[in-house]
Amino acid sequence: MYQYLFCAIGVVTLAVCATEAGAATGGATPASTALGSGVDLQYVDKAVRPQDDLYRYLNGKWLDTFQIPADKANYVSFTYVFDQVQEQLKTIVDGLPQAAAGGDADARKMDDLYASFMDEAKLEALGLKPLQAEFAKIDATASKKDIPALIARSNRIGYAAPYDFDVELDARDSTKYAVNIGQSGLGMPDRDYYLKDDPKLVQARTKYVAHVEKMLGLAGDKDAAKSAAAILKLETDMAQIQWTKVENRDPIKTYNKTAISALGTLTPGYDWQGYVQGLGLGGKVDYVIVNQPSYFTGLAKLIEATPLPVWKAYFKWHALSAAAPYLSKPFVDERFAFSGTTLRGIPQNLPRWKRGLMLIDGAIGESLGKLYVAKYFPPENKARMDQLVSNLIAAYSQDIDTLDWMSADTKKGAHEKLNKLVRKIGYPNKWRDYSKLSISRDDLFGNVVRATEFEVQRNLDKLGKPIDRNEWDMTPQTVNAYYDPEKNEIVFPAAILQPPFFNVKADDAVNYGGIGAVIGHEISHGFDDQGSQFDADGNLHDWFTKDDHAKFSTKTKALVAQYNAHEPVPNFHVNGELTLGENIADNSGLAIAYKAYKISLGGKPSPSIDGFTGEQRLYLGWVQVWRGKARDEETIMRIKSDPHSPPAVRGMVPVSNQDGFYAAFAVKPGDKMYLAPDKRVAIW
Ligand SMILES: [Zn+2]
């Protein structure tokens, strides 16, 4: 429900998904007005040498003066582009009534959904009413035997439950779809928020209980304080048996194929049939993939040990929390006070119309994308991007041949994987069909529930069918990109193909440092610590020799140590293991972009523009893309839950590992960015 849908699951994204109002959204100053070089020089800090801090050299004045807008947790180049896209989408949405009047059924749906969200007077009049039927279902739970059906219900309509499912390609047989089930159901971003003693996390915990109490009180719970304390206790018990985010990155340990008939052995006393039937899985599959077996065993015991009224309070709380953005103002405001302000440090919520756009994007996103692409994505962008991707793949191929640490056998596997890599650029060839989704102009809550179930059912309906190779996990208007290891494909939505990532009016160099490195990043996910465990056909199958594994592991350990050393907020270090896959992709992506640029020069020296060589502009393009700031609460939350390193760290660390950077800027021992050659980590 209720979350903005479509935050891609099972794929590796370039940046974190915007799942919440106030996520990766933008504001004030344009990042790049310069043409020609495409490097925005207005914020250069001349007091800093590029050899000492390239990131600060280009971005210094911005870092010193920029204020994060009041409705944002952070501000990065993604934010800047996101804001522009929202303005563009607004012009489309403003034209929907006319298109609807002309008989366009999808335009009618989008317009009705938007209108239902914008009608605040109606929502004020309704209060909690839209949620009452859901509460009644929870209240009607007669015994713990009904809990599996209740979890199925929450999975179908999108509020948090102790576990959740998704439909993905079977990681060991990528010719078919399979159901994965995994731990879920905490109201705070990570188990550490429940279990660690850092004062900032303790404070968030205290505020969480107060928030749960306030929300339940607003919803009429006379024992709200007692319920809130019991919910924290229950979620803390769940947190204790959950796997860490680092453990969850292991594709082998999280692959536990289990016959449905054998699930009971894992969870004595728990009735899986109630869940299977409730979800609508009956007869569709005979096995599921259990991500964290020990958690499920522990959960069965926890269900036994926890009184039914506590479970009821827990489910009501999560139904309420997920529904709150679509209820009256007191619920919207209280939810934002915790999710926005406490957890992420954002003073004020996004304007309502922006939240309305995000709702359309989540619920009927490809129909909106179809209009977006027609109006704002010129065909020449797709053609030039296609060429760039080809150049990057060619550079990757050459790179594999020159790697000094890899054996001939493993190189063969790497080439095979690269040859089979599928690319998707801009928008899908075939658009999604929303004709069966029912949207009503005066029923916001019902719309959100129906849209969520529509998407869940669409996923369930894939089971037993051939793989849909046309499907996209992001809408074209999303400012992001991803790699899907099971499909071995890289995907670049239209919206990321603009400055500062991709500037059609600029010389190539800055684009290689921007979108070129992004392309390299996504390709590298096929070869990072997780992706390299999948073969060319997307199957979890080892194609590295034992010796190469050992060498790969030495390199990745060095990279983990480099990132662990960064402490963007006092007492909160980057988690080098959690972010390893993304860090490999950043470092390798930038290295491959440099190689591709050199190939494109064909042996000629690069042209000098704005006083910089092409090689210099490439690295400036990289630090320009990662120019960014975040509020401390946001940084802490990301460190605990986001597999990407903070933007400034992404901007800085990979550069010092690039031999090309030392050549481009004549970096020498004694310069602050200097690393001795044996300390530089180069993987691909
Ligand atoms: Zn990534």
Side-chain angles (χ1 to χ4, degrees):
M1 187 148 38
Y2 311 174
Q3 314 156 18
Y4 301 104
L5 317 176
F6 289 164
C7 200
I9 291 166
V11 299
V12 198
T13 61
L14 176 67
V16 74
C17 241
T19 53
E20 185 81 39
T25 62
T29 57
S32 176
T33 49
L35 298 180
S37 77
V39 180
D40 182 2
L41 296 170
Q42 62 177 313
Y43 303 116
V44 166
D45 181 349
K46 295 216 169 80
V48 176
R49 297 167 63 240
Q51 295 83 352
D52 288 333
D53 187 343
L54 187 70
Y55 186 79
R56 182 148 188 103
Y57 167 75
L58 187 70
N59 302 319
K61 283 189 190 161
W62 187 90
L63 293 168
D64 288 342
T65 57
F66 185 78
Q67 302 272 340
I68 301 172
D71 59 0
K72 297 179 200 332
N74 58 10
Y75 195 96
V76 288
S77 50
F78 294 87
T79 325
Y80 165 70
V81 180
F82 181 93
D83 265 2
Q84 288 191 318
V85 171
Q86 285 227 312
E87 296 293 341
Q88 293 168 333
L89 294 176
K90 182 66 168 56
T91 67
I92 292 172
V93 167
D94 287 343
L96 289 174
Q98 204 187 349
D104 181 333
D106 278 6
R108 165 74 62 209
K109 267 181 200 160
M110 288 187 274
D111 188 46
D112 285 351
L113 179 61
Y114 188 69
S116 72
F117 186 80
M118 295 308 286
D119 188 353
E120 290 181 85
K122 167 112 195 168
L123 299 176
E124 292 317 307
L126 286 171
L128 187 70
K129 216 168 168 193
L131 196 58
Q132 269 160 359
E134 220 43 61
F135 273 10
K137 282 195 183 84
I138 297 167
D139 281 330
T141 310
S143 82
K144 286 190 198 168
K145 294 220 170 329
D146 296 331
I147 286 181
L150 210 49
I151 295 178
R153 171 77 188 160
S154 50
N155 284 182
R156 278 196 71 93
I157 69 168
Y159 64 87
Y163 61 89
D164 204 349
F165 84 102
D166 63 66
V167 176
E168 288 175 38
L169 303 199
D170 185 326
R172 291 204 190 271
D173 179 1
S174 66
T175 64
K176 60 183 180 194
Y177 290 107
V179 171
N180 287 257
I181 56 171
Q183 68 185 29
S184 182
L186 302 182
M188 290 192 281
D190 183 69
R191 67 198 289 278
D192 281 2
Y193 278 78
Y194 295 84
L195 306 176
K196 294 270 158 106
D197 286 333
D198 180 276
K200 288 222 161 69
L201 300 181
V202 172
Q203 191 191 31
R205 207 141 72 214
T206 309
K207 289 192 171 178
Y208 179 59
V209 188
H211 167 61
V212 176
E213 180 185 341
K214 189 149 182 214
M215 288 281 274
L216 290 176
L218 282 171
D221 183 342
K222 302 266 186 299
D223 272 329
K226 206 177 131 206
S227 302
I231 288 165
L232 180 72
K233 160 83 168 64
L234 174 57
E235 290 188 6
T236 305
D237 289 344
M238 283 163 59
Q240 238 136 17
I241 52 177
Q242 290 203 346
W243 292 19
T244 66
K245 287 199 164 61
V246 171
E247 289 168 322
N248 283 328
R249 291 190 72 246
D250 188 328
I252 293 174
K253 285 194 182 135
T254 52
Y255 185 96
N256 304 282
K257 187 171 170 176
T258 311
I260 288 187
S261 57
L263 280 170
T265 320
L266 196 65
T267 57
Y270 186 79
D271 172 26
W272 282 96
Q273 277 313 310
Y275 179 73
V276 167
Q277 299 306 329
L279 196 60
L281 271 181
K284 287 192 163 186
V285 286
D286 50 16
Y287 71 92
V288 296
I289 293 152
V290 179
N291 294 145
Q292 304 91 2
S294 65
Y295 170 73
F296 282 87
T297 304
L299 179 64
K301 288 182 195 152
L302 193 56
I303 290 174
E304 273 310 304
T306 307
L308 184 62
V310 175
W311 280 110
K312 286 189 185 182
Y314 168 86
F315 284 108
K316 279 169 110 166
W317 151 240
H318 281 295
L320 177 62
S321 174
Y326 313 105
L327 298 176
S328 57
K329 196 163 183 297
F331 294 101
V332 174
D333 289 350
E334 175 54 28
R335 187 178 197 275
F336 180 78
F338 182 74
S339 311
T341 308
T342 298
L343 286 181
R344 311 184 60 199
I346 315 171
Q348 77 188 43
N349 208 343
L350 281 176
R352 193 162 182 96
W353 68 266
K354 289 194 175 184
R355 286 178 268 149
L357 290 184
M358 290 169 82
L359 177 62
I360 305 178
D361 188 50
I364 321 176
E366 281 200 6
S367 286
L368 187 60
K370 198 172 165 182
L371 302 176
Y372 171 77
V373 165
K375 195 164 177 184
Y376 296 108
F377 188 59
E380 59 266 30
N381 283 23
K382 184 163 174 161
R384 187 150 168 211
M385 182 66 182
D386 202 48
Q387 186 58 49
L388 268 170
V389 172
S390 295
N391 295 356
L392 265 290
I393 290 177
Y396 226 107
S397 179
Q398 286 193 19
D399 174 72
I400 290 168
D401 289 330
T402 59
L403 290 177
D404 56 3
W405 60 274
M406 186 179 276
S407 70
D409 279 355
T410 307
K411 282 181 180 175
K412 204 167 145 247
H415 275 300
E416 199 191 336
K417 187 158 185 182
L418 194 63
N419 288 338
K420 284 197 176 177
L421 184 72
V422 173
R423 70 177 81 173
K424 291 179 174 173
I425 298 167
Y427 53 91
N429 294 326
K430 196 169 158 265
W431 297 98
R432 263 180 215 179
D433 174 7
Y434 295 99
S435 57
K436 294 210 169 71
L437 170 61
S438 157
I439 296 292
S440 155
R441 204 169 173 88
D442 59 4
D443 181 14
L444 172 61
F445 181 78
N447 288 340
V448 174
V449 169
R450 282 187 296 274
T452 308
E453 268 203 289
F454 177 79
E455 173 63 8
V456 165
Q457 194 58 48
R458 189 184 71 83
N459 280 308
L460 288 169
D461 288 345
K462 292 176 192 167
L463 294 165
K465 304 234 174 79
I467 308 304
D468 178 4
R469 303 274 167 199
N470 286 313
E471 187 185 14
W472 281 51
D473 287 321
M474 279 179 189
T475 61
Q477 61 275 26
T478 307
V479 189
N480 211 331
Y482 69 88
Y483 173 76
D484 184 334
E486 284 148 0
K487 289 184 179 158
N488 192 24
E489 67 181 16
I490 49 176
V491 184
F492 305 95
I496 199 172
L497 304 177
Q498 50 189 315
F501 298 97
F502 179 49
N503 186 346
V504 242
K505 292 176 185 157
D507 171 78
D508 271 351
V510 76
N511 284 327
Y512 275 96
I515 198 72
V518 168
I519 299 166
H521 174 109
E522 298 307 336
I523 301 173
S524 300
H525 273 312
F527 303 93
D528 71 20
D529 64 315
Q530 289 176 305
S532 62
Q533 300 182 60
F534 291 82
D535 66 16
D537 296 315
N539 288 309
L540 202 45
H541 165 252
D542 197 358
W543 50 275
F544 267 55
T545 64
K546 209 174 155 208
D547 195 36
D548 289 339
H549 263 303
K551 288 179 186 154
F552 186 72
S553 164
T554 306
K555 283 174 176 288
T556 58
K557 278 196 182 103
L559 204 61
V560 168
Q562 279 188 353
Y563 282 82
N564 277 344
H566 286 264
E567 188 181 2
V569 174
N571 294 325
F572 290 89
H573 283 257
V574 174
N575 182 340
E577 281 185 277
L578 176 62
T579 55
L580 178 58
E582 296 300 333
N583 298 338
I584 292 173
D586 280 346
N587 280 273
S588 301
L590 185 55
I592 299 299
Y594 175 81
K595 286 196 171 113
Y597 178 60
K598 294 296 266 186
I599 294 170
S600 79
L601 291 173
K604 297 197 196 85
S606 66
S608 178
I609 307 176
D610 288 347
F612 298 101
T613 66
E615 288 83 352
Q616 290 174 333
R617 294 195 304 278
L618 183 145
Y619 293 111
L620 290 169
W622 173 262
V623 295
Q624 173 166 285
V625 157
W626 295 110
R627 171 194 297 160
K629 272 190 179 182
R631 300 180 192 278
D632 282 358
E633 294 85 347
E634 173 78 358
T635 300
I636 291 170
M637 188 191 82
R638 299 277 181 108
I639 280 177
K640 290 294 175 192
S641 61
D642 182 359
H644 306 89
S645 295
V649 177
R650 296 182 76 172
M652 286 185 279
V653 178
V655 177
S656 285
N657 284 323
Q658 313 288 322
D659 287 343
F661 167 66
Y662 292 77
F665 287 93
V667 181
K668 301 208 164 44
D671 295 336
K672 287 194 184 121
M673 286 190 74
Y674 181 85
L675 287 179
D678 66 333
K679 297 280 184 241
R680 296 174 205 162
V681 181
I683 299 179
W684 300 92

Coordinates of all heavy atoms in Angstrom, one line a residue, residues 12-15 480-483 521-522 525 528 581-583 585-586 644 650, ligand 1:
V12 N 20.2 -4.4 -8.9 CA 21.2 -3.5 -8.2 C 21.1 -2.1 -8.9 O 21.3 -2.0 -10.0 CB 22.6 -4.1 -8.4 CG1 23.5 -3.5 -7.4 CG2 22.6 -5.6 -8.3
T13 N 20.7 -1.1 -8.0 CA 20.5 0.2 -8.6 C 21.7 1.1 -8.5 O 22.6 0.8 -7.7 CB 19.3 0.8 -7.9 OG1 19.6 1.0 -6.5 CG2 18.1 0.0 -8.0
L14 N 21.7 2.2 -9.2 CA 22.8 3.1 -9.2 C 22.7 3.9 -7.9 O 23.7 4.3 -7.3 CB 22.7 4.1 -10.4 CG 23.7 5.2 -10.4 CD1 25.1 4.6 -10.6 CD2 23.4 6.2 -11.5
A15 N 21.5 4.3 -7.5 CA 21.4 5.1 -6.3 C 20.1 4.6 -5.6 O 19.4 3.8 -6.1 CB 21.2 6.5 -6.6
N480 N 17.7 7.1 -12.3 CA 18.5 6.0 -11.7 C 18.8 5.1 -12.9 O 18.6 5.3 -14.0 CB 17.6 5.3 -10.7 CG 18.4 4.7 -9.5 OD1 19.6 4.4 -9.7 ND2 17.8 4.7 -8.3
A481 N 19.5 4.0 -12.5 CA 19.8 2.9 -13.5 C 20.0 1.6 -12.7 O 20.1 1.7 -11.5 CB 21.1 3.3 -14.2
Y482 N 19.9 0.5 -13.4 CA 20.1 -0.8 -12.6 C 20.7 -1.9 -13.5 O 20.7 -1.8 -14.7 CB 18.8 -1.2 -11.9 CG 17.7 -1.7 -12.9 CD1 17.7 -3.1 -13.2 CD2 16.7 -0.9 -13.3 CE1 16.6 -3.6 -14.0 CE2 15.7 -1.4 -14.1 CZ 15.6 -2.7 -14.5 OH 14.6 -3.1 -15.2
Y483 N 21.2 -2.9 -12.7 CA 21.7 -4.1 -13.3 C 20.9 -5.3 -12.7 O 20.7 -5.3 -11.5 CB 23.2 -4.4 -13.0 CG 23.7 -5.7 -13.5 CD1 23.9 -6.0 -14.8 CD2 23.9 -6.8 -12.6 CE1 24.3 -7.2 -15.3 CE2 24.3 -8.0 -13.0 CZ 24.5 -8.3 -14.3 OH 24.9 -9.5 -14.8
H521 N 29.6 1.5 -14.3 CA 29.1 1.0 -13.0 C 28.1 -0.1 -13.2 O 28.3 -1.2 -12.5 CB 28.4 2.2 -12.3 CG 27.8 1.9 -11.0 ND1 28.3 2.4 -9.8 CD2 26.6 1.3 -10.7 CE1 27.5 2.0 -8.8 NE2 26.5 1.3 -9.3
E522 N 27.1 0.0 -14.0 CA 26.1 -1.0 -14.2 C 26.7 -2.3 -14.8 O 26.4 -3.4 -14.3 CB 24.9 -0.5 -15.0 CG 24.2 0.7 -14.4 CD 23.7 0.5 -13.0 OE1 23.6 -0.7 -12.5 OE2 23.6 1.5 -12.3
H525 N 28.5 -4.3 -12.1 CA 27.7 -5.1 -11.2 C 27.6 -6.5 -11.6 O 27.4 -7.4 -10.8 CB 26.3 -4.5 -11.1 CG 26.2 -3.4 -10.1 ND1 26.7 -3.5 -8.8 CD2 25.6 -2.2 -10.1 CE1 26.4 -2.4 -8.1 NE2 25.8 -1.6 -8.9
D528 N 30.8 -7.7 -9.9 CA 31.2 -7.4 -8.5 C 31.1 -8.6 -7.6 O 31.0 -9.7 -8.1 CB 30.3 -6.2 -8.0 CG 28.8 -6.6 -7.7 OD1 28.5 -7.8 -7.6 OD2 28.0 -5.7 -7.7
G581 N 29.6 -4.1 -3.1 CA 29.2 -4.2 -4.5 C 29.1 -2.9 -5.2 O 29.6 -2.8 -6.4
E582 N 28.6 -1.9 -4.6 CA 28.5 -0.6 -5.2 C 29.8 0.1 -5.3 O 30.1 0.8 -6.3 CB 27.5 0.3 -4.3 CG 26.1 -0.2 -4.3 CD 25.4 -0.2 -5.6 OE1 25.8 0.5 -6.5 OE2 24.5 -1.1 -5.8
N583 N 30.7 -0.2 -4.3 CA 32.0 0.4 -4.4 C 32.9 -0.2 -5.5 O 33.6 0.5 -6.2 CB 32.7 0.3 -3.1 CG 32.0 1.1 -2.0 OD1 31.2 2.0 -2.2 ND2 32.2 0.7 -0.7
A585 N 31.6 -1.3 -8.2 CA 31.0 -0.8 -9.4 C 31.4 0.6 -9.7 O 31.7 1.0 -10.8 CB 29.5 -0.9 -9.3
D586 N 31.5 1.4 -8.6 CA 32.0 2.8 -8.8 C 33.5 2.8 -9.3 O 33.8 3.5 -10.3 CB 31.9 3.6 -7.5 CG 30.5 4.1 -7.2 OD1 29.7 4.1 -8.2 OD2 30.3 4.5 -6.1
H644 N 24.7 1.8 -1.0 CA 25.6 2.8 -1.6 C 26.3 3.6 -0.6 O 25.7 4.0 0.5 CB 24.8 3.7 -2.5 CG 23.9 3.0 -3.5 ND1 22.6 2.6 -3.2 CD2 24.1 2.7 -4.8 CE1 22.1 2.0 -4.3 NE2 23.0 2.0 -5.3
R650 N 31.5 8.6 -2.5 CA 31.5 8.1 -3.9 C 32.3 9.0 -4.8 O 32.9 8.5 -5.8 CB 30.1 7.9 -4.4 CG 29.3 6.9 -3.6 CD 27.9 6.7 -4.2 NE 27.9 5.9 -5.4 CZ 26.8 5.4 -6.0 NH1 25.6 5.8 -5.5 NH2 26.8 4.7 -7.1
Ligands
ZN1 ZN 25.0 0.2 -8.4

